[in-house]
Amino acid sequence: MSLNTIFPDLKTNYNSAVDDIVADIYSPCLSHSNQYFRGTAYFRSSVLSLFSKEILEFCLRGGKIEILTSIELSEHDVESIKEGYFLREMEGLLTEILNDSQTEIPGRFWCTLIASGHLDIHIVTGNFYHDKVGFFACKNSE
């Protein structure tokens, strides 16, 4: 697993109006990395439903996601985040979501990723940018 193997196939810029962001970026990068960092002013758990399969496979391989976002969260997302951190001590939770019908609910999926230690949410107060920035990393690059 190395990002170096797919790097030549990636463009320097992507536009969601013309590019298939999941197929062109998330799927190959999540499958060749073990860390994903994201910064965005407005983040909703519902976005995870766009590529939940890729995220689940990434996490089952030991991947870790860090999200930096503003306090602009839905009430449901706030409750899911709280519950996720509360449940973090539970073992075996991530593999259980494969058979759990509630994982179709984005907030529940988010909660499970937090609880299993594969996702951390960092909240920023004050002025924050609106651009969405993210990068992938692989600790053991070839």
Side-chain angles (χ1 to χ4, degrees):
M1 171 180 53
S2 173
L3 287 168
N4 293 336
T5 60
I6 62 166
F7 187 73
D9 298 327
L10 298 175
K11 300 185 327 187
T12 55
N13 294 303
Y14 289 87
N15 181 329
S16 61
V18 294
D19 295 305
D20 182 344
I21 302 300
V22 173
D24 296 345
I25 300 173
Y26 285 107
S27 187
C29 289
L30 286 171
S31 67
H32 287 84
S33 64
N34 54 25
Q35 295 177 300
Y36 175 52
F37 302 89
R38 173 88 175 189
T40 183
Y42 305 101
F43 189 83
R44 301 292 181 258
S45 62
S46 58
V47 76
L48 296 177
S49 63
L50 299 174
F51 51 99
S52 58
K53 177 183 175 279
E54 291 84 356
I55 291 173
L56 181 58
E57 290 170 357
F58 171 81
C59 291
L60 287 171
R61 286 191 332 275
K64 174 78 174 175
I65 302 169
E66 301 269 347
I67 296 175
L68 177 68
T69 190
S70 71
I71 59 173
E72 298 290 324
L73 297 166
S74 73
E75 185 176 330
H76 185 268
D77 285 350
V78 169
E79 291 305 314
S80 295
I81 292 168
K82 286 181 187 177
E83 182 181 1
Y85 281 110
F86 178 75
L87 296 173
R88 182 165 271 190
E89 299 301 316
M90 298 180 76
E91 292 183 29
L93 190 59
L94 187 59
T95 54
E96 289 178 20
I97 69 172
L98 289 169
N99 299 319
D100 185 350
S101 62
Q102 286 193 1
T103 58
E104 295 173 5
I105 302 169
R108 199 69 199 141
F109 186 59
W110 199 356
C111 171
T112 304
L113 294 178
I114 292 169
S116 65
H118 291 278
L119 172 63
D120 277 312
I121 308 291
H122 306 277
I123 307 296
V124 175
T125 58
N127 294 333
F128 199 62
Y129 59 95
H130 184 70
D131 290 343
K132 293 165 185 68
V133 178
F135 69 90
F136 298 86
C138 186
K139 289 182 182 177
N140 300 321
S141 293
E142 298 172 356

